[in-house]
Amino acid sequence: QVQLAESGGDSVQAGGSLRLSCAASGYTSGITCMGWTRQAPGKQREWVATIVRGGASTWYSDSVKGRFTISQDNDKNTVYLQMNSLKPEDTAMYSCAATRASCAAADFRYWGQGTQVTVSS
């Protein structure tokens, strides 16, 4: 099993920055892709970014492209989400996910509890 623990969520003003972290523990061998999703109250879960282990390939949703950066530290089994130029519409619960398959949304099997990001105008 893989356990994922997010941290770094906070309340910030629009235009500010935050860095989220997701630490993977347990049986992490074979993880091929990790990613971040977010869900605001009353809205569907939205995929934000994914990264292939090793960092060779990343993907971003159009809503965050150019503002967010996903990265990883393989030695620490940790994935980061650097969020800049935050907007009120970025307010959501951000969750980390991991998979031993492809980066397709349906293939993610392991999920963290989430960390809350609130952006005020």
Side-chain angles (χ1 to χ4, degrees):
Q1 279 288 359
V2 175
Q3 292 80 44
L4 302 174
E6 303 96 333
S7 61
D10 205 344
S11 296
V12 297
Q13 295 222 324
S17 298
L18 283 175
R19 189 176 82 154
L20 306 184
S21 299
C22 172
S25 61
Y27 186 61
T28 59
S29 175
I31 290 177
T32 53
C33 186
M34 296 184 71
W36 288 93
T37 68
R38 66 185 182 185
Q39 187 167 21
K43 295 188 176 182
Q44 288 192 332
R45 185 191 297 271
E46 174 191 11
W47 279 93
V48 174
T50 61
I51 185 167
V52 173
R53 192 156 194 179
S57 177
T58 58
W59 170 89
Y60 298 93
S61 70
D62 287 342
S63 60
V64 307
K65 200 173 292 182
R67 301 187 297 122
F68 291 11
T69 303
I70 189 170
S71 62
Q72 62 185 185
D73 182 335
N74 286 327
D75 290 340
K76 296 181 180 179
N77 284 319
T78 300
V79 171
Y80 304 98
L81 186 67
Q82 177 67 43
M83 306 187 295
N84 299 328
S85 301
L86 283 162
K87 305 175 181 180
E89 51 262 44
D90 293 319
T91 295
M93 179 69 75
Y94 285 71
S95 298
C96 176
T99 178
R100 291 193 172 92
S102 76
C103 288
D107 284 342
F108 282 82
R109 291 290 178 263
Y110 307 103
W111 294 86
Q113 294 296 311
T115 186
Q116 179 67 37
V117 171
T118 302
V119 184
S120 57
S121 57

